[in-house]
Structures are given as C-alpha cells and as structure tokens.
Amino acid sequence: MDNLKVIVVGAGMGGLTTAIAMEKAGYQIEIYDRVTALRPAGAGISLWSNGVKVMNRLGLGQQMAQIGGPMKRMTYIHKSGNLLTDFSLDPLVEAVGQNPYPVARTDLQQMLLTALGPEKVQLNAKCIAVEQTADTATAIFENGHRATGDVVVGADGTHSIIREHVLDKTTQRRYAGYVNWNGLVAANAELADQESWVIYVGDAQRASLMPVGAIAFTFSLMCRCLMTLSPKQI
Ligand SMILES: Cc1cc2nc3c(=O)[nH]c(=O)nc-3n(C[C@H](O)[C@H](O)[C@H](O)COP(=O)(O)OP(=O)(O)OC[C@H]3O[C@@H](n4cnc5c(N)ncnc54)[C@H](O)[C@@H]3O)c2cc1C
C-alpha cells in the first residue's frame, strides 16, 4: 500500500517508534499526544537484542550503543545472600548477533524524539474517540480537531481510549498483586558488578540493580502488595 497517511495517537515509546518506522517506510504521518509538553521521565528499561535490532533498522544503532549499559552477565542471589546462578550473556549475543542494552528511559525517549523531530508531535491533543469508514480512519480530539487518515495507530498507553474501539468492548484492568518501584543511582562497584544485572530474590519480592549507560544503575524493587487499588489508581 503506497502513500498511506497514518495518524499515531500517543508519543510514548510505542508511538514515537511507530512514527519513525512509518516515515522511513515512506508513509505520511501525523502524531498527537495529550500532554502539553513531552518531558522524558522514568528510570531504566532493558532493551533486549530483538528490540535493539529494531532500533538498528531505524538507523539508531550508534545512538543505542552510546546510551546503552554494558550488560554482560546476569546474577541471581537469594535473599539469604547465597548465589543462585551467575551466567554470561555471550552465548545469547553470539546466537542472535546483537547485545541487549539496558538504558535510562529518559535517554531512550529523548533519542526517539530527536530522531523523529520533536516539532512533529502535536501536543495538547487528547483523543476521545475514533471513527472508521470503509476507506478512512479518524481520530477525534477533545479540542475539536479531527485527524483523518488511512490508519489510526493507538499508542496511547495503558489507559488507552483506542483499545476500546479496536476490541469493541471496555476492558477492566486487573491489579496483578505486585508493585514495582524504579529509580536511578550512581554506578558503584561496591553495590554490584557494573557489567552484570544483579537480581536479589525473596518470597514474592525482587530487588535488582542493572547497569544503564556508563555511570548509573537502575534499581528496581518489586514485591507483592496487599493494598487494594481501584482501576483508576493502577
Ligand atoms: C512516566 C513513565 C515512566 C516509566 N518508567 C519506566 C521505567 O523506569 N522502567 C520500565 O521498565 N518501564 C517504565 N515505564 C513503562 C514503560 O515505559 C511503558 O511500558 C512503555 O513506555 C509503554 O509504551 P507505550 O508507548 O505503549 O505507552 P506510554 O509510554 O505510556 O505512552 C503513551 C503516550 O500516549 C499519550 N496518551 C495517553 N492517552 C492519550 C490520549 N487519549 N490522547 C492522546 N495521547 C494520549 C500519553 O501522554 C503518552 O505520552 C514508564 C512509563 C511512564 C509513562
């Protein structure tokens, strides 16, 4: 299909990546986000080799290597301090031909935004509905704007409006019983091996330190949480 016009709703990881890929494929894109300013946020995300290969195909391989951390091993330690396992990721990398890269989420988001061109993201545009005919798809925004194209891509995250349209029903989000806290700390050899993703496991608990970039660890603490949250809070 040539000359498609693609309307992307949401300029998070998924929306930005889709917009870059669609533009590279020669399609015309419009991308919208409900926020008034895109402010990269978050702690760390691990992009495994398949995700990095996608970035390579989008021409972002060099940038990925610059923002990615040197993750060479994975180490699991029991809460008692006993080593459970420690293994090299070399066989995986050899088999698939690509390093995984843990990255700071802010770096990843900024990289994607720069690659697309931040001026292309139309802000302050909250999608409230989608309409579809045999030939067109239209995203309708709270500010009255209507964006019509051949395809509307719903990249509007976990509280997606567009999901409802695609599934033709409302879905109830279910609290899985776990909460995960993430943050960034300065890399320090006394905390953990700077080339290893170190994961401490306990009963229904997990804490980990993963090297992102050259100078930081992202820490993550996940545990079973018995509090009851309403779907709006999750
Ligand atoms: C602030 C933040 C910090 C995070 N930190 C981490 C982390 O440290 N580690 C980790 O592993 N994961 C983290 N995550 C989760 C991870 O980034 C997401 O799972 C991943 O980004 C999902 O990508 P996405 O593009 O589907 O959705 P999102 O990244 O959530 O992007 C959705 C975008 O759509 C926009 N949007 C939503 N509704 C509408 C609407 N109706 N109309 C228009 N635009 C809309 C939102 O403003 C947002 O920009 C974080 C997510 C967020 C939002």
Side-chain angles (χ1 to χ4, degrees):
M1 292 174 100
D2 293 328
N3 302 320
L4 281 186
K5 182 173 172 189
V6 181
I7 310 295
V8 182
V9 177
M13 304 297 164
L16 290 171
T17 307
T18 305
I20 295 167
M22 293 285 179
E23 254 199 346
K24 284 208 177 287
Y27 302 142
Q28 191 190 338
I29 61 116
E30 284 179 15
I31 177 164
Y32 295 86
D33 203 288
R34 67 180 171 185
V35 296
T36 50
L38 286 172
R39 294 189 192 91
I45 286 193
S46 188
L47 249 78
W48 285 90
S49 307
N50 52 349
V52 178
K53 284 182 175 178
V54 171
M55 295 298 158
N56 294 345
R57 284 285 293 274
L58 297 180
L60 297 170
Q62 225 177 338
Q63 289 95 317
M64 271 310 304
Q66 276 166 5
I67 65 172
M71 189 168 72
K72 308 267 186 226
R73 311 186 66 79
M74 287 184 75
T75 308
Y76 284 82
I77 301 171
H78 186 254
K79 66 175 180 181
S80 63
N82 290 339
L83 181 68
L84 296 170
T85 182
D86 173 50
F87 55 91
S88 167
L89 292 172
D90 285 351
L92 168 81
V93 174
E94 276 161 30
V96 301
Q98 176 59 57
N99 286 322
Y101 285 126
V103 291
R105 188 178 182 276
T106 48
D107 289 347
L108 181 62
Q109 195 173 358
Q110 192 57 56
M111 180 191 83
L112 293 170
L113 202 51
T114 305
L116 178 69
E119 69 288 349
K120 290 190 186 144
V121 182
Q122 303 193 42
L123 299 170
N124 213 0
K126 181 180 179 188
C127 181
I128 50 168
V130 188
E131 273 175 15
Q132 194 168 326
T133 67
D135 303 317
T136 63
T138 300
I140 301 163
F141 297 89
E142 202 174 47
N143 59 13
H145 181 63
R146 296 169 68 89
T148 299
D150 299 287
V151 180
V152 169
V153 175
D156 50 344
T158 189
H159 295 280
S160 175
I161 295 281
I162 293 171
R163 183 190 299 128
E164 209 173 301
H165 179 82
V166 172
L167 299 177
D168 208 16
K169 65 173 185 193
T170 312
T171 49
Q172 290 300 326
R173 286 149 33 95
R174 185 175 55 82
Y175 177 49
Y178 284 84
V179 172
N180 190 29
W181 289 272
N182 288 327
L184 289 171
V185 289
N188 177 341
E190 283 179 19
L191 282 176
D193 179 348
Q194 282 168 269
E195 293 196 339
S196 192
W197 182 0
V198 181
I199 299 155
Y200 294 87
V201 287
D203 306 323
Q205 297 158 343
R206 193 199 75 164
S208 85
L209 285 161
M210 183 172 71
V212 299
I215 53 159
F217 285 137
T218 181
F219 66 86
S220 135
L221 177 63
M222 185 191 288
C223 63
R224 187 178 292 155
C225 219
L226 294 177
M227 62 188 162
T228 315
L229 296 175
S230 73
K232 272 197 162 174
Q233 289 173 294
I234 299 169

